[in-house]
Amino acid sequence: MTDITDDIAEEISFQGFEDDCRLLGNLLNDVLQRELGPEFMEKLERTRVLAQSACNMRMAGIEDTAELLEKQLAAELSKMTLEEALSLARAFSHYLNLTGIAETHHRVTKARGSTNLSKSCDDVLNQLVQGGISPADLYDTVCKQEVEIVLTAHPTQINRRTLQYKHIKIAHLLEYNDRPDLGHEDREMLIEDLVRELASIWQTDELRRHKPTPVDEARAGLNIVEQSLWRAVPHYLRRLSNALKKHTGKPLPLTCTPIKFGSWMGGDRDGNPNVTAKVTRDVSLLSRWMAVDLYLREVDNLRFELSMNQCSAKLSRLAREILEKVKTLDDWHETRSQQSSLGQFKNYSNHAPPLPTQLPAGADMPSCAEHNDMKTHYPRLDVPGTEFMPMNRQQGRQDSLIFKESSLDTSKLSIKTHGNGNANNSGNGQSVVTPRGTSSTSSQLLLQRRQFAESQIGRTSFQKLLEPSSSQIPGIAPYRVVLGDVKEKLSKSRRRLELLLEDLPCEYDSWDYYETSEQLLEPLLLCYDSLQCSGSGILADGRLADLIRRVATFGMVLMKLDLRQESGRHSETLDAITKYLDMGAYSEWDEDKKLEFLTRELKGKRPLVPPTIEVTPDVKELLDTFRVAAELGNDSLGAYVISMASNASDVLAVELLQKDARLAVAGELGRPCPGGTLRVVPLFETVKDLRQAGSVIRKLLSIDWYHDHIVKNHNGHQEVMVGYSDSGKDAGRFTAAWELYKAQEDVTAACNEYGIKITLFHGRGGSIGRGGGPTHLAIQSQPPGSVMGTLRSTEQGEMVQAKFGLPQMAVRQLEIYTTAVLLATIRPPQPPKEEKWRKLMDEISKISSTTYRNTVYENPEFLAYFHEATPQAELGCLNIGSRPTRRKVSTGIGHLRAIPWIFAWTQTRLILPAWLGVGAGLKGICEKGHTEDLRAMYKEWPFFQSTIDLIEMVLGKADIPIAKHYDEVLVSESRQELGAELRRELLTAEEFVLLITGHEKLSENNRSLRKLIESRLPYLNPINMLQVEILKRLRRDDDNNKLRDALLITINGIAAGMRNTG
């Protein structure tokens, strides 16, 4: 049934799956019985039975009876009140969501219980070694592999995040229910927990009432890291390391990570005016904050675990240096504190005595303790007066511990801590204070506030109870000293980011915080080496190794943020600049003149944009974006993607704007910009642009400046992105697939000609109409040589939650990415065996594209039919994304984004964009006598096989009777023949796909998929019929908000049943 779980090809246990579906269904029925009453439940059950009976008749081939039952069902639904229809839609939507949860749970269970899991690291490495690949070559290839999964905010996730979390809780309860040792009482409590979750879900509004902001979307992406990927990555890397050691004799190097993560959330501004330069900056800082916060938690746990004293001499020296530095700072602050106290006494001796700055000696001690100020191990509690503000932020230093080496005299062991509840033996914990009002500027006041927040006084007293006192610690381990210093710097790093996010003054010294992952890795690797050489390798390879691997994978940003903008916006900006400089209109120049100008400016050393330039808000926003990119650099940002790229000048324009911004920022800072320049990545989307992609890359690499720039600044790597969504909407799925294949071949050849390595970035969507489908199948069907150990790919919308929402699923997906790229690198897919096959593909593509475009773009009735037959106009009310549904204000198909285009057809179950034109193309070639050629292509050419298999999968999900019902009720009579023609096209596609594959029925090679489809129909079909009825009513009463809510509920339900949206 699903596009999203087919990566895991194993059969699920249908007995267990059906048992869980029955359990969840019965519990939901109990909740609905209490909430809605028995009368409604009778109607619900009657609806389900009618739908189930109709499905059974249709599967048995008794079409007439099935049609009668469906008409009876539609008639009964049309008589329902709005409240009944709304409740029924909600109930069936929840049934479908619960079925999806049970399905995912059983796929995970099956994967976990399998000893020889297909496509796992162990399985694929074993295959390659058995196939003659030397262990040394295999090890080297794995270690050099670079795969980046880029999470995007494309608006296809239909469920609110609140409901996603509740669904995850139900999945965890199902997992707990599988335990064989669960007692009767525990099982009853588990059932109660499930009922509570289901009741909570029913009483929660399914609809988003407001559009998410880009920051909301970014936060959702970061939550995926926190809830799943953070746990999954170390587990995946351990599995890969164990498999490598088993088959090559060497484990994966500790800081080697074949997979990393990127993000478009907060950086993709293509057609989304809500993504501004400030949003990009804030999201990048937020991502850094989350990374530091997660590392802090891990370091805290690690300090508790690494309690041993034995260590290497190098670690011992570092621990001593840390403690000596702390003692020096303490002595310095002690002197400053005394001087400050004396100065305050002189300044205020003639005034009324202020409130005391500290309690009397011993006031903070238990009543049973001796009040001996010199010997107490309790900290002093300093209390600020109302007119004082502390100035010494260094007194907030945490965990400053003196480490005792084994060679030191044990009688000299002591602990000196400041703030955060630690002991202060010196008795000099008094803060330096100055009177309020002495600050002459607001920035100084803000600085004072920040320092107060970090001072001992500003800390909560309860935290002092969390730290042990000196008399309770017989000795301090060196690892704890070093990790205490790491924690201290991480804490300051987090606080610094908070100040930056709040736009407050931030004057930390660079050695006080971590800026790069290398800085954080240094002490962690030192601890790891120390444990290994001290005979504690088993400890080193536990939590510490996991933390090191996380740092290597996530860095200091979790996911580097890509920026994306449409090429026309860059041209508009350069046009404004050249006109301001009286150089003419850039947009009116031909390509050669543009390249000459851009190359000349790129070779120059002066800025192009004058600081005094006056431009429109759109141009200013774009210039501000480049400025933020210069300030953040490639330590925080990934690539700059140019959508709708079509010429070499599109790339050089971005390179120039980037260079100019970096020059301006460096001039203001008085030093070079942080990090390096961003990779500039052209995105070829339309069929026309895909056909020219190779020529554009050749033109770029023929320019000396650009070639040298790629070699010098990007390690000889050219990245090129290919778009699956717009190419499919432009010419149909089959033509798009073939043009994408040829474009990748051409771009790869172009880079090889100039000695440049290629990294292809695949802009795949979730649905098959937008390039979705099983990851392993997709990568294994790429042109040979296009995947040489490197790959970038987007994961969008509902795919992110489906593939990475649970740690176990995430581990499996990461393995699939790794093994698929490994196989494509070492054993590239077969190219077409004969030139004849290419010519046949060209012919099929031509016929297919012509049929598609004649229907979608040339037929004057199609646009009106599209609006009548689908809920496209209402999709914008879902509030599932921050960006508009159209790039420009227009009612045509051309400016409609690919997601709502496919989303709308998925709702009606026609799924037109994925198959339209395919039947005509295959039929045309078969009628010319090439049926056997196509069958040979299907068997022997991975690309052709995967293309046909994906189309077959879509055809299996399409439903002609449901699509026909939409037409009969919603489409005007004059356009109903167009709908009938489209359904005939669907039957033609089905006929010739079965002819080529040799299958008797659709999805015959995936019976598990067919069974899952059939299990959903009794709930899915009634929701479709309800949607038709509600659309009919809404189009007569457009201002009825309750009707609109009911419609949106049906859209949610159908998306849950189809397991994908757009």
Side-chain angles (χ1 to χ4, degrees):
M1 180 65 182
T2 73
D3 291 353
I4 57 181
T5 51
D6 292 325
D7 283 326
I8 302 176
E10 299 80 28
E11 296 279 329
I12 68 172
S13 167
F14 272 95
Q15 181 61 55
F17 166 68
E18 289 167 357
D19 287 346
D20 278 345
C21 286
R22 195 175 300 111
L23 170 65
L24 294 173
N26 289 338
L27 294 179
L28 181 58
N29 283 340
D30 292 343
V31 171
L32 296 179
Q33 183 86 18
R34 288 194 298 272
E35 296 279 345
L36 302 172
E39 187 178 342
F40 174 79
M41 290 306 295
E42 287 179 13
K43 288 187 177 181
L44 184 147
E45 184 59 18
R46 177 171 173 77
T47 301
R48 190 195 66 79
V49 169
L50 271 174
Q52 181 71 71
S53 301
C55 292
N56 291 341
M57 292 298 103
R58 206 166 283 286
M59 283 186 279
I62 311 173
E63 299 288 338
D64 292 344
T65 306
E67 193 170 338
L68 284 173
L69 289 168
E70 286 164 355
K71 285 183 177 179
Q72 184 180 350
L73 177 59
E76 293 193 7
L77 291 174
S78 69
K79 295 174 185 176
M80 283 190 174
T81 65
L82 177 56
E83 287 72 18
E84 288 174 333
L86 182 60
S87 295
L88 187 69
R90 291 189 66 211
F92 280 5
S93 294
H94 287 311
Y95 279 123
L96 289 167
N97 275 315
L98 294 174
T99 302
I101 294 167
E103 179 190 330
T104 300
H105 166 65
H106 281 277
R107 288 186 185 276
V108 169
T109 303
K110 179 73 176 179
R112 187 189 295 135
S114 178
T115 52
N116 297 309
L117 197 59
S118 171
K119 307 183 189 77
S120 67
C121 295
D122 183 49
D123 173 54
V124 171
L125 264 61
N126 180 57
Q127 283 182 35
L128 291 170
V129 170
Q130 295 298 321
I133 304 299
S134 74
D137 288 344
L138 182 58
Y139 182 82
D140 189 54
T141 304
V142 171
C143 291
K144 290 180 180 177
Q145 186 167 299
E146 295 178 15
V147 176
E148 188 170 353
I149 300 169
V150 181
L151 310 186
T152 78
H154 284 71
T156 60
Q157 174 52 266
I158 203 81
N159 284 323
R160 289 179 59 197
R161 203 160 75 223
T162 298
L163 290 174
Q164 292 174 40
Y165 285 147
K166 293 180 187 298
H167 293 167
I168 288 171
K169 289 183 72 174
I170 290 175
H172 289 321
L173 288 170
L174 289 179
E175 183 180 2
Y176 187 62
N177 191 41
D178 287 342
R179 286 180 52 172
D181 62 336
L182 206 60
H184 177 71
E185 187 175 339
D186 288 337
R187 202 170 296 278
E188 284 188 345
M189 291 172 64
L190 181 142
I191 296 299
E192 289 177 5
D193 287 340
L194 279 171
V195 171
R196 269 189 286 274
E197 287 301 326
L198 292 171
S200 172
I201 286 172
W202 179 256
Q203 293 173 21
T204 299
D205 188 0
E206 298 97 327
L207 303 177
R208 292 183 176 94
R209 297 299 173 179
H210 305 283
K211 272 186 174 291
T213 67
V215 176
D216 291 334
E217 292 170 333
R219 201 177 291 116
L222 294 174
N223 285 336
I224 287 288
V225 175
E226 183 180 17
Q227 78 187 26
S228 177
L229 292 174
W230 191 254
R231 291 167 56 193
V233 162
H235 189 183
Y236 146 72
L237 289 172
R238 283 190 186 203
R239 287 171 75 160
L240 177 57
S241 183
N242 290 339
L244 266 179
K245 190 170 183 179
K246 177 180 176 182
H247 298 290
T248 70
K250 293 186 289 184
L252 188 72
L254 202 56
T255 56
C256 175
T257 175
I259 289 185
K260 292 191 176 182
F261 300 91
S263 172
W264 278 13
M265 302 177 190
D268 182 7
R269 59 235 318 122
D270 176 20
N272 189 351
N274 300 308
V275 180
T276 63
K278 185 180 186 310
V279 165
T280 295
R281 175 185 177 274
D282 287 350
V283 167
S284 178
L285 292 174
L286 184 63
S287 184
R288 279 184 168 268
W289 184 93
M290 171 87 62
V292 171
D293 190 63
L294 288 169
Y295 290 138
L296 260 170
R297 299 180 213 173
E298 293 300 323
V299 169
D300 239 1
N301 291 328
L302 200 56
R303 288 176 67 221
F304 181 80
E305 183 176 291
L306 299 184
S307 55
M308 58 291 304
N309 288 318
Q310 190 174 1
C311 67
S312 67
K314 192 172 182 181
L315 187 75
S316 173
R317 282 196 302 273
L318 177 60
R320 279 204 308 273
E321 288 170 7
I322 290 170
L323 295 169
E324 287 169 4
K325 181 176 68 174
V326 169
K327 186 175 185 304
T328 302
L329 284 172
D330 289 342
D331 292 342
W332 184 77
H333 288 305
E334 181 179 333
T335 304
R336 288 290 303 271
S337 179
Q338 290 171 349
Q339 291 173 350
S340 178
S341 297
L342 181 60
Q344 289 168 27
F345 176 76
K346 289 177 179 178
N347 290 335
Y348 295 100
S349 60
N350 296 325
H351 297 276
L355 291 175
T357 58
Q358 69 179 41
L359 295 174
D364 57 332
M365 297 172 59
S367 58
C368 60
E370 291 185 15
H371 291 194
N372 185 335
D373 203 29
M374 296 304 293
K375 295 182 179 179
T376 177
H377 57 261
Y378 289 91
R380 288 181 180 274
L381 177 62
D382 294 339
V383 181
T386 55
E387 57 274 316
F388 294 105
M389 182 63 69
M391 291 296 292
N392 184 7
R393 69 177 171 85
Q394 288 290 348
Q395 289 188 332
R397 189 170 184 87
Q398 304 174 2
D399 304 316
S400 306
L401 305 175
I402 293 184
F403 163 61
K404 176 188 77 66
E405 275 282 311
S406 57
S407 60
L408 297 177
D409 184 353
T410 57
S411 65
K412 295 180 181 177
L413 176 65
S414 63
I415 302 173
K416 186 183 291 285
T417 64
H418 284 279
N420 215 19
N422 292 322
N424 182 350
N425 288 339
S426 68
N428 291 311
Q430 183 175 345
S431 294
V432 179
V433 293
T434 59
R436 288 183 190 263
T438 58
S439 172
S440 59
T441 65
S442 61
S443 64
Q444 287 175 317
L445 180 59
L446 291 170
L447 182 61
Q448 287 179 335
R449 288 175 181 169
R450 192 237 324 153
Q451 290 171 344
F452 171 68
E454 294 184 347
S455 70
Q456 176 174 325
I457 297 168
R459 296 186 184 278
T460 54
S461 58
F462 84 88
Q463 193 141 4
K464 300 179 181 182
L465 300 174
L466 304 180
E467 297 289 341
S469 62
S470 59
S471 63
Q472 296 170 322
I473 306 178
I476 301 301
Y479 298 98
R480 287 184 170 176
V481 175
V482 173
L483 292 173
D485 188 61
V486 171
K487 180 185 174 183
E488 170 76 3
K489 288 184 178 179
L490 285 170
S491 296
K492 290 182 177 178
S493 302
R494 183 173 64 180
R495 181 60 187 142
R496 173 179 173 269
L497 290 164
E498 289 166 1
L499 292 169
L500 289 172
L501 280 164
E502 294 167 4
D503 291 322
L504 293 175
C506 181
E507 299 178 3
Y508 281 89
D509 294 323
S510 59
W511 56 79
D512 274 348
Y513 60 89
Y514 291 119
E515 184 70 25
T516 67
S517 55
E518 288 76 17
Q519 293 170 339
L520 177 55
L521 278 172
E522 187 178 351
L524 298 179
L525 288 170
L526 184 60
C527 289
Y528 183 88
D529 293 339
S530 174
L531 286 168
Q532 289 286 0
C533 72
S534 301
S536 299
I538 189 71
L539 291 171
D541 290 327
R543 190 187 294 274
L544 177 58
D546 286 348
L547 176 55
I548 291 169
R549 283 179 167 144
R550 284 184 175 114
V551 177
T553 301
F554 295 111
M556 298 304 292
V557 293
L558 292 184
M559 302 182 287
K560 285 191 176 183
L561 187 62
D562 280 2
L563 307 183
R564 182 170 78 131
Q565 184 56 279
E566 196 256 331
S567 59
R569 292 290 301 277
H570 308 128
S571 295
E572 290 170 14
T573 301
L574 285 172
D575 198 57
I577 293 168
T578 55
K579 285 178 179 177
Y580 182 83
L581 297 174
D582 293 327
M583 298 174 68
Y586 175 86
S587 58
E588 296 175 4
W589 299 348
D590 61 25
E591 178 68 5
D592 288 340
K593 187 173 181 180
K594 287 179 180 178
L595 289 175
E596 181 187 351
F597 163 74
L598 293 167
T599 306
R600 183 177 68 250
E601 291 297 328
L602 283 165
K603 289 178 179 178
K605 295 183 179 180
R606 60 171 177 78
L608 174 67
V609 183
T612 56
I613 190 171
E614 295 179 3
V615 292
T616 63
D618 282 351
V619 171
K620 183 180 184 306
E621 175 56 41
L622 190 119
L623 292 174
D624 287 345
T625 297
F626 278 101
R627 182 181 181 83
V628 166
E631 291 169 353
L632 294 173
N634 65 2
D635 290 337
S636 298
L637 304 178
Y640 192 108
V641 179
I642 310 166
S643 55
M644 293 296 172
S646 56
N647 294 294
S649 61
D650 292 332
V651 176
L652 293 189
V654 173
E655 292 284 9
L656 177 58
L657 291 169
Q658 179 176 207
K659 174 209 163 191
D660 201 79
R662 290 178 67 84
L663 283 173
V665 170
E668 292 173 14
L669 294 175
R671 55 181 170 81
C673 290
T677 60
L678 306 189
R679 309 185 309 276
V680 179
V681 180
L683 165 54
F684 300 104
E685 300 179 81
T686 66
V687 168
K688 179 184 175 184
D689 292 340
L690 286 168
R691 288 171 177 168
Q692 296 176 349
S695 300
V696 170
I697 298 303
R698 285 184 179 87
K699 183 66 177 176
L700 273 172
L701 294 176
S702 69
I703 299 170
D704 291 341
W705 179 90
Y706 187 79
H707 189 279
D708 293 345
H709 168 69
I710 290 293
V711 171
K712 179 182 176 182
N713 296 315
H714 299 301
N715 200 27
H717 259 92
Q718 172 66 56
E719 188 173 322
V720 175
M721 186 171 185
V722 288
Y724 291 69
S725 300
D726 284 288
S727 56
K729 186 166 75 72
D730 186 29
R733 182 71 256 139
F734 192 94
T735 297
W738 180 229
E739 294 299 336
L740 283 159
Y741 186 91
K742 293 191 294 183
Q744 290 176 70
E745 284 184 318
D746 200 14
V747 164
T748 302
C751 288
N752 290 339
E753 289 167 19
Y754 286 89
I756 298 295
K757 299 173 185 175
I758 178 76
T759 296
L760 284 165
F761 185 4
H762 298 267
R764 296 181 179 278
S767 61
I768 289 168
R770 294 180 52 241
T775 303
H776 200 274
L777 181 64
I779 295 173
Q780 284 295 289
S781 59
Q782 298 304 308
S786 65
V787 182
M788 295 306 292
T790 63
L791 179 88
R792 292 187 92 210
S793 182
T794 58
E795 291 289 358
Q796 304 177 5
E798 80 272 28
M799 298 296 119
V800 175
Q801 183 67 35
K803 291 185 175 182
F804 304 107
L806 293 174
Q808 305 96 317
M809 290 291 287
V811 170
R812 183 72 176 123
Q813 291 299 320
L814 296 177
E815 279 199 291
I816 286 170
Y817 263 105
T818 300
T819 57
V821 171
L822 182 63
L823 283 170
T825 302
I826 293 180
R827 289 183 173 170
Q830 290 296 316
K833 280 191 174 182
E834 305 174 30
E835 187 60 30
K836 179 182 180 182
W837 290 5
R838 285 183 173 276
K839 291 179 180 178
L840 289 175
M841 283 297 294
D842 286 335
E843 288 186 50
I844 297 170
S845 175
K846 184 177 180 181
I847 298 170
S848 176
S849 177
T850 301
T851 303
Y852 178 91
R853 291 193 63 84
N854 283 345
T855 301
V856 174
Y857 293 100
E858 306 300 331
N859 188 328
E861 294 294 315
F862 183 81
L863 183 61
Y865 170 79
F866 172 56
H867 286 304
E868 288 180 346
T870 73
Q872 184 273 324
E874 290 76 16
L875 292 177
C877 300
L878 282 171
N879 293 323
I880 58 175
S882 66
R883 74 181 190 182
T885 56
R886 293 181 179 273
R887 279 196 168 95
K888 298 179 181 178
V889 180
S890 164
T891 57
I893 301 292
H895 291 138
L896 180 68
R897 287 188 178 274
I899 288 173
W901 164 244
I902 292 174
F903 199 160
W905 289 112
T906 304
Q907 287 286 302
T908 69
R909 310 269 291 280
L910 192 62
I911 325 180
L912 175 142
W915 56 260
L916 181 60
V918 174
L922 296 177
K923 179 182 178 182
I925 299 304
C926 287
E927 287 179 346
K928 290 182 180 179
H930 295 295
T931 303
E932 290 306 316
D933 290 319
L934 295 182
R935 285 175 173 168
M937 289 163 64
Y938 178 76
K939 289 178 182 177
E940 300 177 41
W941 187 11
F943 163 73
F944 187 74
Q945 184 184 72
S946 71
T947 302
I948 296 297
D949 282 347
L950 290 174
I951 291 168
E952 182 179 5
M953 187 190 299
V954 171
L955 294 172
K957 295 174 74 173
D959 193 300
I960 287 179
I962 292 293
K964 182 181 179 183
H965 183 62
Y966 276 80
D967 281 7
E968 289 174 343
V969 177
L970 300 174
V971 176
S972 57
E973 193 172 339
S974 62
R975 298 189 186 95
Q976 288 198 10
E977 179 54 34
L978 177 55
E981 184 183 332
L982 292 174
R983 293 193 293 277
R984 288 192 291 271
E985 283 282 343
L986 175 60
L987 289 172
T988 301
E990 180 179 327
E991 176 188 350
F992 283 92
V993 163
L994 291 176
L995 179 67
I996 290 166
T997 61
H999 299 156
E1000 292 184 11
K1001 292 182 178 180
L1002 293 171
S1003 303
E1004 187 179 281
N1005 60 336
N1006 195 341
R1007 294 182 181 180
S1008 173
L1009 178 62
R1010 278 185 60 197
K1011 194 166 183 178
L1012 288 169
I1013 292 173
E1014 292 164 2
S1015 71
R1016 286 194 173 90
L1017 295 181
Y1019 302 105
L1020 183 56
N1021 288 353
I1023 301 182
N1024 276 111
M1025 291 182 174
L1026 261 179
Q1027 185 178 88
V1028 171
E1029 176 62 27
I1030 293 167
L1031 272 170
K1032 183 176 77 171
R1033 297 184 193 182
L1034 186 62
R1035 288 173 183 178
R1036 294 172 184 166
D1037 186 10
D1038 191 51
D1039 295 328
N1040 191 323
N1041 289 329
K1042 280 194 173 181
L1043 269 174
R1044 195 169 300 280
D1045 279 0
L1047 176 66
L1048 298 181
I1049 293 292
T1050 64
I1051 291 173
N1052 282 8
I1054 294 167
M1058 298 295 283
R1059 294 299 300 274
N1060 65 276
T1061 52

